Amino acid sequence: MTVLPFLDIKATPVQSLDTALSSRQSAPETALPPCSSTRLTSSKRVSITPIRIQTPKIKILPRSDTTLRHLPVPKSAAVQAHNGIWKPLIREPADYDYLWEPLQREDIRHQYDQYVPPQRLTTSRPDEPYRMSSRFETQDRHFHNYRRTQAMQQKQWNKDHIQYTIYPYSQIAERESYNKYMRTSLKEQIKEKIQFDKTERGRKNLECQSIIEKDRQDLEQYKQKQQQRAKYLLEFTTKNKELMENKWAHDRWNRVHQWHVERVILADDPINWSKTLT
């Protein structure tokens, strides 16, 4: 029995199959040698070598993509100018029977820039003016909310991660533009930082000057208040001293006058007829 290898129907030309089948049909049938009627002894045995039939060689030709890449109808100017931004992020494995258009990174990067999420639907009840009925289904409403959530998450993911894919996955021209943008941004940030530091330094200088001037004015006012207080206390002390001295003088005069009055009264007293009591 002739054993043929595994044949790929798409990759194997029909001519090779015809050649293999014809060679199989035209293979000569070899007859086995007649068996000897003589009985072989145990000491002398004859071994019959089997005849090996060679498998015909089939030339397998690789399939070329030139036929698949050939466009049956040439693209018009309108078709070439069209650039559909909305394309799938993940595409199916390549099918050689379909001509895929190359997916650009710009399409993925900007596909959600102008996306506005629709309004979220309440899945438990229908919208107005419809009412709840036994035929109400929530499958489409759940799917609407699911697609809305997926689109919003993809938009946020692109916003957070797609900018980091510029350098390692882009062309040389885009890398150069990205490096130029980074250098320009860095220079602008340095200029803004220098200007901000200069403005902040000037503001702090003015603030320090105003604080120093305010402190000087406060010290001057405190000095004037202390002088006024010392002057007032000096006048108060002088007035108190004058009042105390006047009181002491009045007390001395009053005591001396009382003594004089007592002497006069005692002199006119009949008991003191001898004028010996003083």
Side-chain angles (χ1 to χ4, degrees):
M1 179 178 180
T2 305
V3 180
L4 296 178
F6 175 76
L7 300 179
D8 188 3
I9 302 303
K10 289 186 177 181
T12 306
V14 181
Q15 298 177 359
S16 301
L17 293 176
D18 297 340
T19 306
L21 294 176
S22 61
S23 61
R24 179 183 177 186
Q25 294 176 1
S26 61
E29 297 181 359
T30 57
L32 296 176
C35 298
S36 176
S37 59
T38 58
R39 188 175 182 180
L40 300 177
T41 60
S42 61
S43 61
K44 189 176 182 181
R45 295 182 180 180
V46 179
S47 60
I48 302 174
T49 58
I51 300 175
R52 297 181 180 179
I53 301 175
Q54 296 182 356
T55 304
K57 296 182 179 180
I58 300 176
K59 185 177 181 181
I60 300 177
L61 301 177
R63 180 175 56 185
S64 62
D65 295 340
T66 56
T67 306
L68 298 178
R69 292 178 181 177
H70 177 68
L71 298 177
V73 179
K75 289 186 177 181
S76 60
V79 175
Q80 294 179 1
H82 174 69
N83 183 15
I85 295 181
W86 196 274
K87 293 184 179 180
L89 291 177
I90 302 176
R91 61 184 184 183
E92 299 178 355
D95 186 1
Y96 291 101
D97 297 334
Y98 181 78
L99 298 179
W100 284 94
E101 294 184 0
L103 183 62
Q104 302 294 335
R105 291 177 55 257
E106 295 294 333
D107 303 339
I108 302 178
R109 186 189 306 175
H110 301 292
Q111 63 177 341
Y112 287 100
D113 290 350
Q114 306 298 331
Y115 175 75
V116 178
Q119 185 179 3
R120 188 177 184 275
L121 300 180
T122 304
T123 57
S124 60
R125 61 178 181 272
D127 298 332
E128 296 293 340
Y130 301 100
R131 296 183 178 180
M132 180 67 71
S133 63
S134 59
R135 295 183 299 175
F136 176 69
E137 297 182 358
T138 61
Q139 182 178 2
D140 296 340
R141 304 175 72 85
H142 278 293
F143 183 67
H144 171 81
N145 293 340
Y146 171 76
R147 291 185 59 185
R148 174 179 176 272
T149 304
Q150 292 295 107
M152 294 174 64
Q153 291 178 356
Q154 186 64 44
K155 180 179 180 181
Q156 185 65 27
W157 189 92
N158 290 357
K159 181 180 179 182
D160 296 339
H161 297 81
I162 204 68
Q163 58 179 339
Y164 301 106
T165 62
I166 295 177
Y167 194 82
Y169 298 108
S170 59
Q171 302 297 331
I172 297 179
E174 190 174 2
R175 292 186 185 182
E176 291 297 332
S177 62
Y178 178 77
N179 293 337
K180 181 179 179 181
Y181 171 74
M182 293 299 294
R183 290 192 297 268
T184 307
S185 302
L186 185 59
K187 290 181 180 179
E188 291 179 357
Q189 291 178 6
I190 293 175
K191 291 181 180 179
E192 291 178 359
K193 185 66 169 60
I194 294 175
Q195 184 65 24
F196 175 77
D197 293 344
K198 184 177 180 180
T199 306
E200 190 70 13
R201 197 181 304 111
R203 186 186 65 81
K204 290 183 178 180
N205 189 13
L206 293 177
E207 185 178 358
C208 291
Q209 291 180 1
S210 62
I211 292 175
I212 293 173
E213 182 66 21
K214 186 67 169 59
D215 184 68
R216 188 188 64 80
Q217 294 178 2
D218 293 342
L219 291 177
E220 187 68 23
Q221 293 178 2
Y222 179 76
K223 183 178 180 180
Q224 293 178 2
K225 288 182 179 180
Q226 289 296 107
Q227 292 178 357
Q228 293 177 2
R229 181 173 179 272
K231 185 177 180 180
Y232 172 76
L233 292 178
L234 180 61
E235 294 178 357
F236 187 82
T237 304
T238 305
K239 190 66 175 177
N240 285 344
K241 183 179 180 181
E242 183 180 355
L243 293 176
M244 292 172 64
E245 290 177 353
N246 294 338
K247 184 177 183 301
W248 294 340
H250 180 269
D251 291 343
R252 286 195 302 270
W253 175 86
N254 191 16
R255 187 168 54 253
V256 172
H257 180 70
Q258 189 68 23
W259 292 345
H260 174 69
V261 171
E262 290 179 356
R263 287 192 187 98
V264 172
I265 294 174
L266 186 60
D268 295 338
D269 193 355
I271 298 176
N272 191 15
W273 57 272
S274 60
K275 308 296 182 182
T276 56
L277 297 177
T278 56

